[in-house]
């Protein structure tokens, strides 16, 4: 981080923490918004600094904790990300985003058996999520298990069956509302899954 940028982050943190003149919850929200802004700009180090301060004011903010985990994830600090994600998962068993980030973090950290365990655990509650099969196929590829890879990719294809129709319907609705950019987005997704829909657009 450049010296000027670091000074700006440090000064903002100090201002929010000391001179905010407001409740802890309001200070936490201000810092959280700053963290989101940095995160969207892919400045994960600054985002992490802001979110760390935010959590000092509001230790129970689940969204802030998840954002904190993602800042570590995108900096390649998978152990730190996993620690937060595992804690979040205990309190949010059905949160797909937390599950997926945890699994991806374990895979990238080469903890393949643990990743597979998390995948199987998630599949007990949802056998229709193609992303879980795709991640299982990725684990199989890293383990040089071609049979398991093919099996999981096949299951992912089955789970995706019908998605083309959903994307087609979404494209139709957005086009009827006059939002062409969104219509095109879903049209592309539809055709990527099933070219036969091209005659219908």
């Amino acid at each position: 981080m450049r010296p000027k940028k670091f000074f700006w982050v440090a000064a903002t943190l100090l201002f929010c923490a000391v001179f905010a003149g407001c409740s802890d919850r309001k200070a936490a929200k201000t810092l959280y918004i700053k963290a989101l802004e940095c995160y969207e700009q892919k400045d994960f180090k600054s985002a992490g600094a802001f979110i760390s301060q935010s959590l000092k004011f509001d230790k129970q903010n689940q969204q802030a904790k998840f954002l904190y985990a993602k800042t570590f994830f995108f900096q390649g600090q998978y152990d730190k990300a996993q620690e937060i994600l595992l804690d979040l998962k205990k309190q949010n068993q059905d949160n797909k985003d937390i599950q997926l980030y945890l699994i991806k973090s374990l895979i990238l950290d080469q903890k393949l058996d643990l990743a597979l365990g998390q995948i199987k655990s998630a599949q007990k509650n949802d056998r229709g999520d193609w992303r879980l099969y795709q991640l299982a196929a990725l684990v199989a590829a890293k383990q040089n298990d071609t049979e398991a890879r093919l099996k999981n990719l096949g299951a992912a294809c089955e789970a995706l069956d019908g998605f083309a129709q959903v994307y087609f319907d979404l494209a139709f609705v957005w086009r009827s509302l006059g939002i062409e950019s969104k219509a095109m987005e879903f049209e592309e997704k539809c055709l990527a899954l099933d070219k036969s829909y091209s005659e219908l657009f």
Side-chain angles (χ1 to χ4, degrees):
M1 185 184 294
R2 292 181 299 185
K4 283 185 179 179
K5 192 169 188 181
F6 181 78
F7 174 79
W8 176 82
V9 172
T12 306
L13 285 171
L14 185 64
F15 175 80
C16 291
V18 180
F19 300 107
C22 53
S23 68
D24 286 355
R25 194 167 293 278
K26 190 171 181 181
K29 186 177 179 180
T30 301
L31 289 160
Y32 178 72
I33 291 168
K34 285 286 184 187
L36 277 175
E37 289 172 356
C38 291
Y39 181 82
E40 287 170 3
Q41 294 167 5
K42 302 191 187 309
D43 182 0
F44 302 118
K45 190 171 184 179
S46 296
F50 281 123
I51 210 68
S52 174
Q53 291 299 313
S54 176
L55 285 167
K56 288 180 181 178
F57 289 102
D58 184 4
K59 296 177 182 177
Q60 303 307 315
N61 189 327
Q62 302 291 299
Q63 283 183 309
K65 288 181 182 180
F66 187 38
L67 182 61
Y68 199 27
K70 289 193 286 184
T71 64
F72 286 126
F73 178 87
F74 287 112
Q75 291 180 87
Q77 298 179 47
Y78 303 120
D79 281 341
K80 290 182 179 179
Q82 289 158 31
E83 185 179 346
I84 299 169
L85 291 166
L86 281 166
D87 184 57
L88 285 171
K89 185 173 177 284
K90 291 175 186 175
Q91 302 167 56
N92 303 273
Q93 290 289 334
D94 298 325
N95 188 303
K96 292 287 181 64
D97 290 331
I98 291 171
Q99 290 175 353
L100 292 170
Y101 268 99
L102 176 57
I103 294 165
K104 289 174 186 176
S105 180
L106 289 166
I107 292 172
L108 290 168
D109 206 18
Q110 300 301 316
K111 297 176 181 175
L112 303 180
D113 289 336
L114 289 174
L116 203 53
Q118 290 292 333
I119 290 168
K120 288 178 179 177
S121 174
Q123 286 175 330
K124 287 179 182 177
N125 297 321
D126 186 0
R127 295 200 170 277
D129 191 336
W130 67 272
R131 297 170 297 180
L132 294 172
Y133 295 107
Q134 189 267 333
L135 288 169
L138 181 58
V139 170
K142 288 181 174 290
Q143 295 176 329
N144 294 313
D145 188 341
T146 305
E147 185 178 346
R149 188 179 183 186
L150 284 170
K151 179 182 175 184
N152 280 292
L153 288 173
C157 282
E158 285 182 27
L160 279 168
D161 188 38
F163 268 49
Q165 181 63 47
V166 173
Y167 288 142
F168 175 80
D169 291 344
L170 281 165
F172 177 82
V173 172
W174 283 115
R175 188 157 283 132
S176 68
L177 293 171
I179 314 290
E180 189 62 25
S181 60
K182 292 294 290 184
M184 288 299 296
E185 176 187 337
F186 287 108
E187 182 177 327
E188 288 173 10
K189 289 181 178 181
C190 174
L191 293 175
L193 291 175
D194 191 340
K195 299 292 184 190
S196 67
Y197 279 84
S198 60
E199 298 176 3
L200 301 176
F201 281 110

